[in-house]
Amino acid sequence: MLPLKDKDKPVVQKLLSAGCCARCVLRFCCVRVQAAYRRPQQEILKDLQDFLHGPEKNQCDVSTDNKSCDPVVSEAAADPPSKRAKLETDLSDDGQAEAAAAAAAAIITETHCVCVVCLGVLQEFSDTDQAVKIAEAVKTEKYEFDSLVLSVSLPAQLCVREHSCWLHVKKEVREKSPLLDKEDIVPLKEAYKWLVQSTISTELGGVFVVTKSPLEVAVEFSHNPTDSDCHFLGSTCPDCFKPTKNKQSVFTRMAVVKALEKISEAKFLRHYSCPPTQPSSSCVLQGIQCLHQSVFIAGRYNKFCRSLPQTPWLIDGERRMESSVEELIAAPVLSAFRANGFNFSSSGREDVDVRTLGNGRPFAMELLNPHRARLNVQDMKQLQESINVSSDKIRVRDLQIVSREAMGRMKEGEEEKTKTYTALIWTRKPIKKEDIAFISDIKELTLDQKTPLRVLHRRALAVRQRVVHSMNTRFLDAHHFHLELKTQAGTYVKEFVHGDFGRTKPNLCDLLKMDTDILELDVESVDVDWPPSIQE
Ligand code: ZN
């Protein structure tokens, strides 16, 4: 028996007459027993009739009560399998077995008219084979997972229809029973999930369908014929419908809910029929989308090549170098995590012709929609190894999975960090070892650096103060020496050496009183203590 009380009788009566499906009637009666929804619709309907009229009456009563429904029933009976068969083709390209099953199922489902509130969501979309379809869609993606969250997207007009039905019931039963609170109605999404989630779970080998999981399976329904149901709200509550950049329609579910909270009962009833009109077709299952939360990884990279940019180098849409640091790292990573894409970030970046030596430069990657997410320490070690054998231009260390929050630590206080470099310097005039010795005594040299000419196209013109903490020289020959520098992050070292036409002051030319240029530059260390180092 259904968990209904006498006070529910007028509600049940009203809703069935209005063209509500049996499960929507349970929702409006605030039935929260999940098992009650899982029984076949006909059985629930039969119980509702028994509840109204006593067990001796039969099902015909509802058809007579259900005036608006009659034409649809006869129409459907005249041409049963077509609508259902069309639906089946929309969802799957499987062959005849399904069509046969569909035809068989059609006889059952088409004897009912489409529910005025759920537009069929709790009718034909809630049976086992629909749940199996969702499970199949998840299976084909081959995720590694043990739980999922099911999210259901319903057309916004269902809120309008539910509101209309609620007013309809409220109006009727105000005197006879305590006021039905709209919040007490079991949400359609919830009832839908009760119906499909156990089958989905079983089909997927017992994974948990939960409220919080890294894997989201989104089921989207639409119903174009009734899209205009919402439109009157646009003129009655214009404040609620502000155009947004990304959305195609202003009638989002959120905006419609907000408008329905604001609109007075009288105004609503002037603009919208109560109960809602009978739809001639059901919702369409628009799609099933799976999305796994991003995984974040971090590490440090060395770059040993003077012709490798950090990120793909494009000029006017054309590629300049055949590869890049991020691509060399990303290829093995994407395949290990079976991710759809990535975002790469690093603690600063080096020029294409600059090597990064020492412990390397910290970097992090967001991996989008990873189909495999739980790599252990050993797996990460192997992944690092496969990156390192794939190219001799780069090397990666300390590769690890990190949290989204931890990523922020890489950028923290970036400006205050120090970097050490080695530069190969050329001098126009011949030099002796003692000519350059004084440079090692210079400490905490403050530079005024006007935005370098070479980056002016992408950075605003400004004068930035940067500090060269210390320097050291290693004499090579009459025109060459190595200059080691420890600088504040963000110092333009090349410009400090050649002066950039006087845009960096002071510069090495000023100090040595001769023209100098930089032939090679290596980053020796990036002093950011994140990510934590890993014992090799
Ligand atoms: Zn319904």
Side-chain angles (χ1 to χ4, degrees):
M1 265 312 285
L2 293 169
L4 296 173
K5 301 199 175 69
D6 260 0
K7 69 170 175 60
D8 295 320
K9 268 190 183 167
V11 178
V12 174
Q13 178 74 55
K14 245 10 258 184
L15 290 170
L16 286 177
S17 307
C20 263
C21 74
R23 291 182 178 125
C24 279
V25 172
L26 296 185
R27 291 200 302 120
F28 272 79
C29 293
C30 314
V31 173
R32 294 197 155 267
V33 182
Q34 297 188 22
Y37 290 82
R38 292 207 193 99
R39 294 167 57 226
Q41 289 182 77
Q42 292 83 345
E43 281 184 27
I44 308 172
L45 198 56
K46 170 91 171 45
D47 279 359
L48 288 174
Q49 289 157 19
D50 290 350
F51 169 68
L52 286 180
H53 311 294
E56 71 280 3
K57 294 256 191 170
N58 65 32
Q59 212 163 322
C60 298
D61 281 30
V62 165
S63 308
T64 37
D65 276 346
N66 213 337
K67 297 181 290 287
S68 59
C69 201
D70 279 342
V72 182
V73 172
S74 46
E75 192 184 293
D79 184 19
S82 62
K83 212 188 286 176
R84 177 73 185 199
K86 185 181 173 294
L87 173 78
E88 295 286 339
T89 3
D90 286 348
L91 295 174
S92 137
D93 46 16
D94 274 3
Q96 294 186 326
E98 290 222 357
I107 295 155
I108 307 164
T109 48
E110 289 287 350
T111 51
H112 294 278
C113 47
V114 179
C115 172
V116 293
V117 187
C118 69
L119 299 177
V121 170
L122 295 187
Q123 297 173 300
E124 52 193 296
F125 289 105
S126 304
D127 50 23
T128 310
D129 53 319
Q130 294 297 326
V132 169
K133 282 221 165 73
I134 296 171
E136 289 300 326
V138 179
K139 267 189 220 169
T140 55
E141 295 268 344
K142 297 194 167 61
Y143 283 97
E144 202 181 76
F145 69 114
D146 50 27
S147 72
L148 64 86
V149 55
L150 185 64
S151 82
V152 185
S153 164
L154 298 168
Q157 59 267 33
L158 290 188
C159 302
V160 177
R161 290 182 160 261
E162 185 149 317
H163 191 74
S164 160
C165 238
W166 172 65
L167 291 180
H168 178 62
V169 174
K170 202 175 106 174
K171 191 171 61 181
E172 257 347 280
V173 301
R174 206 189 302 268
E175 294 84 34
K176 297 172 204 157
S177 83
L179 208 62
L180 173 67
D181 199 353
K182 202 177 165 190
E183 270 72 55
D184 293 335
I185 300 171
V186 173
L188 177 52
K189 280 182 188 182
E190 208 167 318
Y192 172 77
K193 288 179 193 175
W194 291 344
L195 286 161
V196 295
Q197 64 190 13
S198 72
T199 307
I200 293 174
S201 168
T202 314
E203 286 294 313
L204 292 172
V207 304
F208 297 103
V209 180
V210 289
T211 50
K212 206 165 175 263
S213 163
L215 181 64
E216 184 191 27
V217 177
V219 180
E220 190 190 351
F221 292 99
S222 67
H223 193 261
N224 294 341
T226 56
D227 274 346
S228 58
D229 279 6
C230 302
H231 293 178
F232 74 95
L233 291 168
S235 47
T236 55
C237 312
D239 292 357
C240 298
F241 302 95
K242 293 274 186 305
T244 52
K245 270 181 242 149
N246 307 323
K247 300 274 193 254
Q248 285 195 325
S249 163
V250 293
F251 296 102
T252 61
R253 197 178 167 84
M254 281 251 281
V256 168
V257 167
K258 214 168 99 192
L260 290 172
E261 277 167 11
K262 279 183 153 185
I263 194 168
S264 72
E265 195 171 324
K267 212 169 186 182
F268 182 92
L269 294 174
R270 268 205 305 279
H271 289 92
Y272 196 80
S273 71
C274 179
T277 53
Q278 181 71 47
S280 56
S281 64
S282 290
C283 279
V284 170
L285 180 52
Q286 199 69 31
I288 302 161
Q289 302 286 338
C290 301
L291 183 68
H292 196 289
Q293 260 173 24
S294 294
V295 168
F296 297 87
I297 62 163
R300 291 183 171 78
Y301 73 80
N302 291 125
K303 171 161 109 64
F304 303 119
C305 175
R306 295 197 191 279
S307 58
L308 184 69
Q310 193 204 41
T311 51
W313 191 11
L314 302 169
I315 293 176
D316 297 330
E318 229 163 276
R319 219 190 152 109
R320 285 295 294 272
M321 298 278 174
E322 64 180 43
S323 191
S324 64
V325 172
E326 71 163 39
E327 286 165 289
L328 289 174
I329 297 174
V333 170
L334 289 183
S335 87
F337 284 88
R338 290 192 277 124
N340 289 5
F342 68 90
N343 292 314
F344 186 90
S345 61
S346 63
S347 176
R349 58 191 298 162
E350 63 282 305
D351 290 340
V352 59
D353 57 349
V354 172
R355 298 188 301 177
T356 295
L357 309 175
N359 273 334
R361 183 185 296 281
F363 72 93
M365 282 172 90
E366 176 182 12
L367 305 173
L368 307 170
N369 196 14
H371 287 55
R372 188 176 169 222
R374 286 170 301 193
L375 280 76
N376 62 27
V377 174
Q378 200 54 40
D379 296 331
M380 289 304 283
K381 222 173 184 173
Q382 261 173 28
L383 172 57
Q384 176 172 302
E385 195 49 37
S386 66
I387 297 168
N388 291 340
V389 298
S390 71
S391 169
D392 53 7
K393 294 176 178 171
I394 58 150
R395 189 178 165 79
V396 166
R397 79 186 72 216
D398 302 331
L399 194 69
Q400 57 197 282
I401 292 178
V402 297
S403 66
R404 180 193 288 269
E405 294 70 39
M407 295 251 304
R409 260 178 260 162
M410 190 173 68
K411 298 279 179 189
E412 243 167 50
E414 210 174 36
E415 292 279 287
E416 284 72 49
K417 304 285 179 186
T418 60
K419 293 190 178 179
T420 52
Y421 298 90
T422 302
L424 176 60
I425 310 294
W426 168 87
T427 61
R428 184 176 293 281
K429 292 183 197 161
I431 50 162
K432 291 198 199 82
K433 198 174 176 182
E434 48 272 31
D435 294 337
I436 55 170
F438 75 97
I439 292 172
S440 306
D441 298 331
I442 300 171
K443 305 283 176 221
E444 305 303 322
L445 178 67
T446 302
L447 313 179
D448 288 325
Q449 294 203 297
K450 241 185 225 173
T451 308
L453 289 173
R454 66 186 168 94
V455 301
L456 205 50
H457 64 284
R458 59 182 162 89
R459 291 206 68 174
L461 178 63
V463 178
R464 296 179 182 83
Q465 285 208 327
R466 291 290 184 270
V467 178
V468 176
H469 298 299
S470 62
M471 289 184 278
N472 208 8
T473 56
R474 274 185 285 130
F475 180 81
L476 291 170
D477 61 40
H479 288 281
H480 299 92
F481 68 96
H482 271 134
L483 177 67
E484 295 165 9
L485 310 99
K486 187 168 190 171
T487 73
Q488 181 186 354
T491 306
Y492 291 108
V493 175
K494 287 176 178 174
E495 280 68 20
F496 166 63
V497 173
H498 59 59
D500 202 24
F501 303 98
R503 299 166 68 86
T504 288
K505 283 195 159 163
N507 57 57
L508 195 61
C509 304
D510 296 341
L511 297 174
L512 286 169
K513 300 190 175 64
M514 68 172 83
D515 272 0
T516 63
D517 203 356
I518 184 164
L519 301 180
E520 283 177 3
L521 182 62
D522 291 332
V523 178
E524 297 289 347
S525 78
V526 181
D527 300 332
V528 173
D529 51 8
W530 188 87
S533 62
I534 292 173
Q535 217 88 52
E536 292 288 319

